[in-house]
Amino acid sequence: MNAAKYQNLHKSLIAGWTLGARSVNIQVKEHMLGYAWNFIIPVIYAICYVYVRQAVLGNRSIVEPADWWDIIRVFSGLTLFQAWYQCLQDMSAFISKNRGMLRGMNVGVSPFIIAVALEASLSFVIRFITIITAILVLGVDLSLSSSEWMWVIGCLFALILSSIAMGMLLSPWAVLFADVRKALQSLSLPLVLITPIFYPAVVDPAYSIYWIEIANPLASPLIVLQHTLSGEGPVFANVMVSWVLLSIFIIWMSAIHIQKQVPILLERMGN
Amino acid sequence: MTELLKVEKLWKKYSVNLKSTAKYAARDILRTSLGFNPAPSELRDSEFWALRDINLDVKRGEVLGILGRNGAGKSTLLKCIANKVRADRGSIDINGELGHLIEMSAGFSPTMTGRDNVKVRGKLIGKSGTNLNIYVDRVAEFADIGEFFDAPVQIYSSGMRARVGFAASVFIDPDILIIDEVLAVGDLSFRLRCYDQINELTRKAAVIFVSHSLGHIARLCNRGLYLHKGETVYTGDIQQAIRLYQDDSESLSAKSAGRHTFNEDLVSMTLLVNEQRTEDGARVNYGDDLGLHIDASKLAHGAQIRILLKDSSHSLVSDWNSFRSALEWPDRYKLLSAELGKAELNPGSYSFTLQIMDPTGVNLLCMSNSVSFMVKGTRFYDLPSQRLAKWDFNNPDDKFANQPIESMPDVNRN
């Protein structure tokens, strides 16, 4: 990498950090509960799940470790799904959201992508800490080896990368067609339903849901995470690694093309 | 001088149809994703050329004013140069750092204070530490909005927002500066400071300036580019560019001058220039004597006649009222002459209109057709009315000549 490129990258990182910090600052100011929303909603979902589960199972109390892992799977799945989905939405909307700055300032496109990525990373980290805290509060055994911790962190990276990649892929189309945003909103519930959040992962290729899990970028990291945390080993790890590589490729290609695409999109958006 | 910007054979097209725009943009996005050029360089259905074969170059120290009516392609040209929209043909070579004053308040978060927004802006343009603090202080001082600088932007008036936006954008150090209609900001004193700041920037950079204000253009620019429907009409001396632009505006103004009439058959008039009757659209030199011959035969006895002088934008420049002049109506009348003094007007297109009121001055009886004329000459600043004063240095031997002004006798004192 030559000096000019390094300097540009450094400038983009600083600008990205500034925009990310600004966005966090705005969110904290605009919402009374600030970042607490990151865990309030999953907690509400988990409580509802526990209630419904007990009602369905005839008021059987939660005594078995498997029951706890069941609840942790729902809580962690929903918590991370929301962060993933938020990042997907933010990334797909970054051009239209920042069109004023993209027109009015000479900062390029990269800082805006970096800002969304940083904010998403922060959100994932907060949610991950929340999940670990919840596990410890529930008194569930969490004795992981260092390699298992690596897998857990790898899952977070996989989730961040896939959400950024999908968001970047959609971002030009979201500017051109408002249907993209509508479609994203409509697909959130089906996505939750085809992801092993409310039910355990299916690891048998004989079932069609197994193949849906493979095609779902959200499923494999969550399955690896759930199985690693519960001490069952990183099932689906190869699928997750494939998704990581594909995500990196998509991000790389999108970053190259988006520089040329933004002027077309700014023109499309008008004044 | 160093050539900092060179635009060659630049063409830009737009689509007038929203569906087509989305369709073409989608195709262009797909083409770029596959590594092809974004768009074919020929017109597609519902597209038109917004810019055609534009060539220009700007050197350091030059201030290029771009003139043209709405839709002429001025802003499109600036956006192409700033790489905010993509040109379809031609090349733009930029040798140096490009700065622009376009959408200056863009990115200001309403919930953040002016200071915090400016800090973010400073960081985005690469300032940090002491430099950042100096930048924020300079912006605060220039914007001059007092304690509001530390209040959320959402409570700012549009003027305050524009002030902070301008101040935050103008403290830059580019080689090429693009300015698009940004000087109509704030009150007079703020605008004067804006001019000073722009003048400061123009000493070090090449500047491209777009404005509908001929005064701003004449004041700031030393070269002109006149665009009409996306094509270059003239490039060169700024005064000549302004003259050509005004000539075109004149015909438009003449066409629209008769739009706002009422009972226009009641009265008619002829323009006199140096006591000679002239046709509508006459050319008038600065300082020529102006007058009107008004056919008042159909007017009621004692009617109030108001002669309105308007500029090319139909803004009122001056008026002459028969009531103020205590005009006495004879028993029989037909032709009424009005001597209006000298044409001490900035070059441009003007028109006279007669407004006839009843003798009480309450009811409008008639708004006549207009008579237009064009003042020729050199343009200075933006005010339409520019009177001549009698300038004279005092004799050095005069008893007041060597006294300080404040010690001179004051007629209002006592």
Side-chain angles (χ1 to χ4, degrees), chain A residues 18 103 152 170 198:
Chain A
T18 304
R103 275 207 197 99
V152 169
L170 289 174
F198 289 106

Side-chain angles (χ1 to χ4, degrees), chain A residues 41-79:
Chain A
I41 295 170
V43 166
I44 292 169
Y45 275 121
I47 290 168
C48 290
Y49 175 73
V50 170
Y51 172 76
V52 172
R53 188 178 179 277
Q54 283 184 337
V56 170
L57 295 178
N59 279 337
R60 185 170 71 83
S61 59
I62 299 163
V63 286
E64 300 292 325
D67 293 335
W68 285 116
W69 282 115
D70 207 22
I71 291 161
I72 289 164
R73 186 191 64 239
V74 175
F75 178 68
S76 62
L78 283 174
T79 307

Side-chain angles (χ1 to χ4, degrees), chain A residues 15 18-19 22 26 29-30 100-107 173 176 257 261 263-268 271, chain B residues 12 14 18 21-22 25-26 29 32-33 79 84 86 98 100 102-103 106-107 109 111 120-121 123-124:
Chain A
T18 304
L19 288 170
R22 169 181 170 272
I26 291 168
K29 276 190 179 169
E30 286 181 354
M101 282 181 122
L102 283 165
R103 275 207 197 99
M105 295 191 71
N106 266 348
V107 288
W173 307 105
L176 295 179
H257 294 312
Q261 291 167 346
I264 300 171
L265 297 166
L266 288 179
E267 180 183 323
R268 166 70 179 89
N271 292 316
Chain B
K12 173 67 199 160
Y14 282 127
L18 194 64
T21 313
I29 295 291
T32 53
S33 302
K79 284 176 188 168
K84 300 301 171 191
R86 184 189 50 79
L98 184 81
H100 46 75
I102 306 171
E103 297 198 25
S109 164
T111 51
V120 168
R121 180 71 70 94
K123 284 180 188 170
L124 289 179

Side-chain angles (χ1 to χ4, degrees), chain A residues 89-133:
Chain A
Q89 282 191 314
D90 290 349
M91 192 57 88
S92 63
F94 91 92
I95 298 173
S96 44
K97 196 175 156 193
N98 296 298
R99 65 176 164 178
M101 282 181 122
L102 283 165
R103 275 207 197 99
M105 295 191 71
N106 266 348
V107 288
V109 184
S110 324
F112 297 98
I113 298 170
I114 293 169
V116 177
L118 286 173
E119 208 184 338
S121 305
L122 175 66
S123 175
F124 271 106
V125 167
I126 290 174
R127 283 159 196 258
F128 178 67
I129 292 169
T130 309
I131 292 165
I132 297 297
T133 309

Side-chain angles (χ1 to χ4, degrees), chain B residues 185-384:
Chain B
V185 167
D187 53 27
L188 182 62
S189 69
F190 185 73
R191 267 183 278 166
L192 290 173
R193 280 191 289 144
C194 292
Y195 288 133
D196 287 344
Q197 189 59 34
I198 299 270
N199 280 335
E200 185 65 32
L201 286 170
T202 58
R203 285 195 200 110
K204 297 175 277 184
V207 179
I208 306 174
F209 180 53
V210 164
S211 174
H212 282 288
S213 162
L214 294 180
H216 291 162
I217 295 261
R219 178 175 176 164
L220 287 170
C221 303
N222 47 32
R223 273 184 66 210
L225 169 69
Y226 173 32
L227 293 177
H228 182 67
K229 291 185 177 173
E231 287 183 284
T232 302
V233 177
Y234 173 81
T235 177
D237 174 57
I238 186 63
Q239 289 292 344
Q240 178 63 12
I242 290 174
R243 267 193 285 276
L244 288 168
Y245 172 62
Q246 283 180 328
D247 284 348
D248 269 7
S249 302
E250 177 193 21
S251 57
L252 184 78
S253 177
K255 275 181 200 164
S256 62
R259 278 183 200 161
H260 309 290
T261 56
F262 175 66
N263 287 341
E264 66 272 21
D265 294 335
L266 207 59
V267 69
S268 62
M269 63 182 155
T270 307
L271 177 67
L272 302 177
V273 178
N274 295 331
E275 299 181 356
Q276 299 294 313
R277 291 166 75 95
T278 61
E279 296 293 312
D280 189 29
R283 310 244 155 173
V284 174
N285 291 316
Y286 182 91
D288 281 352
D289 286 318
L290 295 177
L292 286 178
H293 273 173
I294 301 167
D295 180 357
S297 56
K298 295 178 191 168
L299 297 184
H301 188 276
Q304 289 189 23
I305 303 174
R306 195 174 168 214
I307 301 168
L308 308 175
L309 173 63
K310 295 178 182 175
D311 65 11
S312 57
S313 64
H314 300 288
S315 300
L316 192 61
V317 175
S318 182
D319 78 336
W320 293 260
N321 193 323
S322 63
F323 197 70
R324 180 173 282 280
S325 303
L327 173 67
E328 289 186 12
W329 290 69
D331 293 337
R332 293 175 63 239
Y333 51 86
K334 186 176 181 195
L335 192 69
L336 174 65
S337 293
E339 288 180 17
L340 305 174
K342 296 194 179 299
E344 292 174 334
L345 297 164
N346 228 337
S349 182
Y350 296 88
S351 64
F352 283 119
T353 309
L354 297 177
Q355 186 187 48
I356 313 294
M357 310 294 286
D358 69 2
T360 63
V362 175
N363 299 309
L364 176 71
L365 301 177
C366 162
M367 185 66 92
S368 75
N369 283 315
S370 299
V371 173
S372 62
F373 62 98
M374 185 83 180
V375 177
K376 314 299 287 181
T378 305
R379 190 174 187 90
F380 297 102
Y381 303 101
D382 208 20
L383 282 176

